Amino acid sequence: MADNDLYMVYHGLLLPKIVHSEESLKYLENFQVKDDDVFAVTYPKSGTTWMQEILPPLLNGGDLTSVETIPNWDRAPWLEETRAALVLDKLPSPRAIVSHMHYHLMPPSFFKSKAKVIYVTRNPKDVIVSSFHFHQMASFLEDPGTFEEFTDKFLSGKVFFAKWTDHVKSWQKPELGDRIMYITYEEMLQDLRGVLSRILKFLGRELSAEALDRVVDHCTFKNMKTNKMSNYTLVPQEFMDNKKSPFLRKGIAGDWKNYFSPELDAKFTAVIQEEMKGSNIRFPWDEE
Ligand code: PPS
């Protein structure tokens, strides 16, 4: 059972009460999406903070001021969180907005708008390792227990934002046409500049080669880790204890191999494969 003191339930999703409330979800439901809004949608631990670093400079001609002076949660706010009502209406357009929402829980105005979406996926095995450490360092999340216990919760969807497979499948929406672009965390690791060029093209924007180089350099793991506006060290230790596990922890692909026994790997893979059956989505990690 999930801890009622820590989580609220919204349309079947467990949401941490520290940043979600009845009011924040009403705000989401009534939110007026603008045609030039750009959303980065992710299942938690798939590259949200990275996109909060990438999108603002791509949308404002390469200016790094906002990523150097404004915390990530105010620079590209979560649509569903309590900060949204305080900052989103004041953000200059085009706005970068992030969300962990499943597709059908987006506000009605989203479906009528032309707003674009960048959907970022990460190997669920690395997602769960990242999430396991996050649950250990964040006092507003349930104690994850052992890695095996946490895997069971993850696979049964008894974690914040529910099942990874449901989230990913919910955003496979051909009707969104050229409003949506799919990228993976792993592609960003392999060729950040290439992915940023693709994002610029998708958004119909351009940057000089030098400006793009500066953004790419700023968004490397090494540089983000030392950026106070993005590494969560501004959050009091009682809420996030970066000494237990830094929020920007390892920033690599394949760390799951250090946590999964062969048996756990077989079980995890079988459940994910079964639930993804018939979805026609192929990910780079499926071949591993
Ligand atoms: S959250 O809580 O949903 O907002 O978390 P999210 O930001 O989606 O995911 C956190 C993981 O993303 C890693 N990260 C990066 N990896 C590589 N390069 C860059 N620049 C980068 N920025 C964030 C972060 O380290 C978390 O992954 P782990 O595996 O825990 O290191």
Side-chain angles (χ1 to χ4, degrees):
M1 276 300 289
D3 188 331
N4 290 337
D5 289 338
L6 296 175
Y7 299 109
M8 62 183 290
V9 182
Y10 180 70
H11 293 278
L13 299 185
L14 292 178
L15 305 181
K17 280 187 187 169
I18 191 159
V19 284
H20 302 86
S21 64
E22 300 290 340
E23 294 74 36
S24 78
L25 296 158
K26 268 274 163 295
Y27 179 83
L28 165 133
E29 289 166 6
N30 295 323
F31 184 67
Q32 290 308 306
V33 173
K34 295 184 189 170
D35 285 341
D36 60 358
D37 285 338
V38 179
F39 288 87
V41 179
T42 53
Y43 184 82
K45 314 320 285 181
S46 301
T48 328
T49 318
W50 208 351
M51 292 305 290
Q52 288 171 319
E53 203 82 358
I54 289 168
L55 282 180
L58 292 193
L59 289 171
N60 70 17
D63 186 353
L64 294 172
T65 312
S66 73
V67 285
E68 283 164 351
T69 57
I70 307 174
N72 59 306
W73 52 81
D74 280 356
R75 183 201 311 144
W78 273 268
L79 183 56
E80 56 272 16
E81 293 194 359
T82 42
R83 292 294 298 172
L86 302 174
V87 293
L88 254 178
D89 298 333
K90 294 185 206 122
L91 273 191
S93 287
R95 304 180 291 190
I97 305 171
V98 299
S99 181
H100 292 317
M101 276 295 156
H102 293 225
Y103 179 73
H104 63 283
L105 294 174
M106 292 297 278
S109 67
F110 168 79
F111 300 101
K112 293 193 210 108
S113 77
K114 296 192 178 83
K116 295 197 169 178
V117 179
I118 300 162
Y119 186 81
V120 190
T121 329
R122 184 181 189 185
N123 185 340
K125 293 178 191 168
D126 283 328
V127 166
I128 191 175
V129 170
S130 179
S131 195
F132 178 68
H133 288 90
F134 187 44
H135 280 69
Q136 288 178 329
M137 65 89 82
S139 62
F140 51 86
L141 297 175
E142 225 170 31
D143 181 329
T146 65
F147 188 69
E148 283 68 21
E149 285 164 352
F150 189 61
T151 308
D152 283 336
K153 280 192 198 168
F154 183 87
L155 288 177
S156 60
K158 294 189 187 103
V159 286
F160 59 173
F161 291 93
K163 280 190 185 182
W164 180 87
T165 47
D166 285 344
H167 198 284
V168 171
K169 285 191 289 187
S170 89
W171 278 95
Q172 292 294 316
K173 286 288 175 284
E175 59 264 40
L176 283 175
D178 60 8
R179 283 182 59 196
I180 190 160
M181 169 187 187
Y182 298 96
I183 59 176
T184 63
Y185 174 95
E186 290 73 11
E187 285 170 323
M188 295 208 282
L189 275 182
Q190 239 176 28
D191 178 13
L192 187 56
R193 198 178 200 282
V195 174
L196 296 205
S197 299
R198 275 168 51 208
I199 294 178
L200 280 171
K201 197 159 172 236
F202 169 67
L203 297 176
R205 295 186 160 261
E206 283 180 13
L207 279 190
S208 68
E210 297 74 39
L212 182 57
D213 284 341
R214 274 200 305 277
V215 177
V216 170
D217 183 58
H218 179 86
C219 294
T220 57
F221 182 75
K222 182 170 71 62
N223 289 340
M224 276 181 63
K225 213 172 153 61
T226 56
N227 181 2
K228 268 200 170 69
M229 294 298 147
S230 312
N231 64 14
Y232 282 90
T233 52
L234 294 178
V235 176
Q237 194 176 344
E238 59 176 303
F239 298 118
M240 283 193 185
D241 191 345
N242 274 282
K243 290 208 181 74
K244 278 192 187 153
S245 177
F247 183 94
L248 289 159
R249 194 183 56 92
K250 283 196 184 171
I252 58 169
D255 195 29
W256 65 269
K257 291 175 186 150
N258 297 315
Y259 291 85
F260 280 69
S261 65
E263 296 73 31
L264 193 63
D265 183 21
K267 174 175 147 183
F268 190 93
T269 305
V271 173
I272 300 283
Q273 274 179 358
E274 181 60 29
E275 294 188 2
M276 294 305 284
K277 239 187 207 163
S279 70
N280 285 330
I281 318 172
R282 304 298 304 159
F283 291 115
W285 52 83
D286 288 339
E287 318 306 330
E288 279 178 6

